[in-house]
Amino acid sequence: KLYLNDYAIDGISPKSTAYLELAKTLRSQRVPLHGMGFQGHLDLQYPLPIDAPENLARFDRIGMETAFTEVDVRYFLPGDTYKNAGQVGSFNTLLQACLLTPRCVMFTLWGFTDKYSWIPNFSNGLQGEATPLDANLQPKPAYRGLQQVLALANGARDRDR
């Protein structure tokens, strides 16, 4: 399947709108474009894309699949309770957006443990702890938050059957 994929397009913005228009143009020209990938590299120093569900819905309405392809949530070190809470909310916002979008087909983390994360090298060691497991492979609050969102979604799905 052919997907467009980029970073900083999780929310509604000029960049994500340009991708929506590009997708419409390509599909009208019979390009076999199947979906849009949202990399989801979030950083707590920037606003949370709380409009991610509405953004994914725009692509859903034109018949495209959507996917979060590289989700991580970084922050300036050291971590603390406030930053952990922000990370939980950020991961959960994107996961909920995917779960609420009928054609969202994938939610992929960009690494599962801080031990092997790309963030410290990218930020010269200033940022990190961007994944749901710490460097010792122990669950962080973000891990438990993702578990809770998935458990609630499964419970709702089971009730709807």
Side-chain angles (χ1 to χ4, degrees), residues 75-78 119-128:
Y75 50 75
F76 283 101
L77 299 173
I119 298 297
N121 288 333
F122 173 77
S123 69
N124 295 319
L126 298 175
Q127 290 187 302

Side-chain angles (χ1 to χ4, degrees), residues 132-145:
L133 299 179
D134 68 18
N136 296 315
L137 303 177
Q138 296 303 303
K140 297 182 341 194
Y143 179 87
R144 289 184 284 285

Side-chain angles (χ1 to χ4, degrees), residues 11-40:
I12 296 174
S13 67
K15 186 175 180 180
S16 65
T17 299
Y19 269 111
L20 179 66
E21 295 307 315
L22 175 61
K24 288 177 184 177
T25 299
L26 292 172
R27 289 168 63 96
S28 73
Q29 296 171 354
R30 299 189 184 270
V31 173
L33 181 62
H34 299 99
M36 186 72 215
F38 303 84
Q39 290 183 9

Side-chain angles (χ1 to χ4, degrees), residues 41-42 70-75 77 87 91 109-125 127-137 140:
H41 295 294
L42 301 184
E70 302 180 18
V71 179
D72 54 29
V73 182
R74 65 185 179 267
Y75 50 75
L77 299 173
Q87 187 178 59
F91 272 116
L109 300 175
W110 196 242
F112 64 95
T113 174
D114 295 337
K115 184 174 184 175
Y116 303 113
S117 174
W118 67 284
I119 298 297
N121 288 333
F122 173 77
S123 69
N124 295 319
Q127 290 187 302
E129 301 182 4
T131 68
L133 299 179
D134 68 18
N136 296 315
L137 303 177
K140 297 182 341 194

